[in-house]
Amino acid sequence: MGFLDIANVTKSYGAVEVLHRVDISVAEGEFLVLVGPSGCGKSTLLNMIAGLEGITSGEIAIKGRAMNGVHPSRRNIAMVFQSYALYPNMTVAQNITFGLEMHGVPKPEREAAMTRVAAMLQIDKLLDRKPGQLSGGQRQRVAMGRALVRNPDVFLFDEPLSNLDAKLRVDMRTEIKKLHQSLKTTIVYVTHDQIEAMTLSTRIAVMNKGYVQQLGTPKDIYDTPANVFVATFMGSPAMNILPARVVMQDGAPHAAVIDAAGQTRHLRFSQPGMAGWAGREILLGIRPEAITDPEGADRKSGNIQHLSNTVVVTEPAGADTFVTMTLSGRDVVGRMRADVTVTPGQSFGFTINMDKAVAFDPDTEARIAP
């Protein structure tokens, strides 16, 4: 049993089931991120944990106590919303302590909690201002401060950074990570941003169409995606997915792919178990960083395959250069070093780290685990 248990939970609106048998157990102090595209059910699940949405079937428990039917005010949770939800006529100090006041906490305790949290969030010089006098980042810190003073069992974050500009999002992401490391609180965080999910979480639940597609650590999700959806949703640029055929060559399984000139090329698998798929079609998945130039290849890999192919597009991106080629009729992106000299139309010697390659069943789109 975890600190927060979501057991076989469903949610229906009339005859339409929008969440399907969700099972997640969250340990105390864990940072769980629910990530997925708009409409996948992640915010609905968060609202069910908060008590803002009812549960159709199953059970949600916090510290072993079932929350089904328990009013949100009696769940000892704190929520930070995308919209900040600050009272515009109150000062920062009043916004932070209002919830404590409503719960009958004595004024000296309220002020002590406010002072501690304001210093932690570096908003102690803003306590006399009103929300209209604050920047977006400052308002978000106030919203977080209002949650932190509560000392709840679980913090719930509903896309709290989506209204901020790109640089401020990165800064606030770092602040939230620091807070979690120092306070060791239990957090459930909703986002559609896979970079936020990867950088903040201790575990990720990738959701789509009301189903949890995969639950695991960021490394699990990134290196061994459960299916094609997870593989392409997590990662920027996305994992390359291309049709291939498994063939045996020199006693080892290889992925047969077609280069830009129409020639069949063979890439040896690192997993001998792929021999069980000999003669069958698969979807081959390779992350862009596993496709590079010879000098940039991972020297720790035991299976670097070489492939000359025509360059289609180059995209300088500061620290990296992204290079696109065509394999098996698909655009395939590689991540090169910034100083690589490569131009569209030239034949280039790519290296592919097949230790990092994964294979998917083309019928079910599930990962093949040989």
Side-chain angles (χ1 to χ4, degrees):
M1 180 178 288
F3 190 79
L4 165 65
D5 287 300
I6 304 164
N8 207 25
V9 163
T10 68
K11 176 65 178 177
S12 298
Y13 295 105
V16 180
E17 189 172 270
V18 296
L19 275 180
H20 316 287
R21 299 187 180 279
V22 176
D23 276 294
I24 302 173
S25 184
V26 184
E28 185 172 7
E30 190 169 8
F31 197 129
L32 174 74
V33 173
L34 308 177
V35 66
S38 297
C40 71
K42 56 189 185 295
S43 289
T44 299
L45 180 57
L46 193 80
N47 287 335
M48 291 164 74
I49 297 169
L52 303 177
E53 292 267 9
I55 300 168
T56 302
S57 66
E59 182 181 272
I60 293 177
I62 298 175
K63 297 170 70 173
R65 177 189 170 209
M67 292 290 113
N68 299 40
V70 176
H71 192 271
S73 64
R74 301 179 64 84
R75 295 190 180 208
N76 198 26
I77 55 97
M79 196 160 183
V80 179
F81 298 93
Q82 175 182 344
S83 62
Y84 316 139
L86 302 177
Y87 296 105
N89 60 325
M90 291 185 183
T91 64
V92 167
Q94 290 168 333
N95 266 283
I96 290 174
T97 59
F98 182 69
L100 297 179
E101 186 176 353
M102 290 298 97
H103 281 82
V105 175
K107 186 175 181 180
E109 290 182 33
R110 297 200 306 264
E111 292 187 347
M114 179 191 64
T115 300
R116 172 180 56 84
V117 167
M120 183 189 308
L121 295 172
Q122 299 176 13
I123 54 173
D124 42 337
K125 293 182 173 59
L126 307 176
L127 295 175
D128 294 328
R129 296 189 192 179
K130 291 187 176 177
Q133 299 171 293
L134 306 177
S135 68
Q138 289 169 335
R139 287 197 292 271
Q140 188 56 273
R141 287 171 189 263
V142 175
M144 288 169 59
R146 182 178 54 193
L148 286 168
V149 291
R150 295 268 314 278
N151 193 27
D153 292 326
V154 181
F155 284 101
L156 306 178
F157 287 81
D158 190 7
E159 303 208 40
L161 308 184
S162 59
N163 288 335
L164 305 180
D165 63 56
K167 182 181 185 307
L168 197 50
R169 286 183 76 151
V170 173
D171 293 343
M172 289 302 297
R173 208 164 62 208
T174 302
E175 291 303 317
I176 292 172
K177 184 102 175 177
K178 281 197 242 178
L179 275 173
H180 180 251
Q181 289 172 347
S182 62
L183 298 176
K184 300 193 170 32
T185 49
T186 306
I187 295 175
V188 181
Y189 186 107
V190 161
T191 183
H192 63 272
D193 186 326
Q194 47 92 18
I195 299 295
E196 275 181 37
M198 293 291 292
T199 55
L200 287 172
S201 66
T202 55
R203 275 197 308 162
I204 299 171
V206 183
M207 300 183 66
N208 190 37
K209 298 179 180 178
Y211 291 94
V212 174
Q213 301 288 319
Q214 187 172 358
L215 175 65
T217 65
K219 182 173 174 57
D220 291 337
I221 299 289
Y222 194 77
D223 290 345
T224 53
N227 53 41
V228 171
F229 173 81
V230 176
T232 53
F233 188 80
M234 301 300 292
S236 181
M239 178 180 276
N240 299 294
I241 305 289
L242 59 148
R245 185 175 180 84
V246 180
V247 299
M248 298 300 293
Q249 195 173 69
D250 299 326
H254 288 65
V257 296
I258 310 298
D259 67 15
Q263 300 297 310
T264 299
R265 310 297 293 271
H266 296 101
L267 304 171
R268 179 170 56 83
F269 281 105
S270 296
Q271 307 93 337
M274 285 302 299
W277 280 71
R280 298 171 65 183
E281 303 295 325
I282 62 164
L283 294 174
L284 180 65
I286 308 173
R287 294 279 181 201
E289 60 269 24
I291 303 173
T292 185
D293 59 284
E295 288 299 314
D298 183 358
R299 286 168 171 72
K300 294 180 182 177
S301 172
N303 187 10
I304 297 293
Q305 301 286 296
H306 298 272
L307 176 73
S308 292
N309 204 8
T310 303
V311 174
V312 178
V313 175
T314 62
E315 298 175 84
D320 304 295
T321 297
F322 295 104
V323 179
T324 302
M325 61 174 162
T326 301
L327 281 177
S328 297
R330 303 278 180 89
D331 283 346
V332 172
V333 179
R335 187 193 299 262
M336 311 288 168
R337 293 170 298 124
D339 58 355
V340 168
T341 302
V342 58
T343 56
Q346 80 173 93
S347 179
F348 185 78
F350 294 88
T351 59
I352 301 177
N353 183 356
M354 288 296 287
D355 281 348
K356 300 293 186 181
V358 291
F360 302 95
D361 184 323
D363 295 324
T364 65
E365 296 195 346
R367 181 172 56 87
I368 299 167

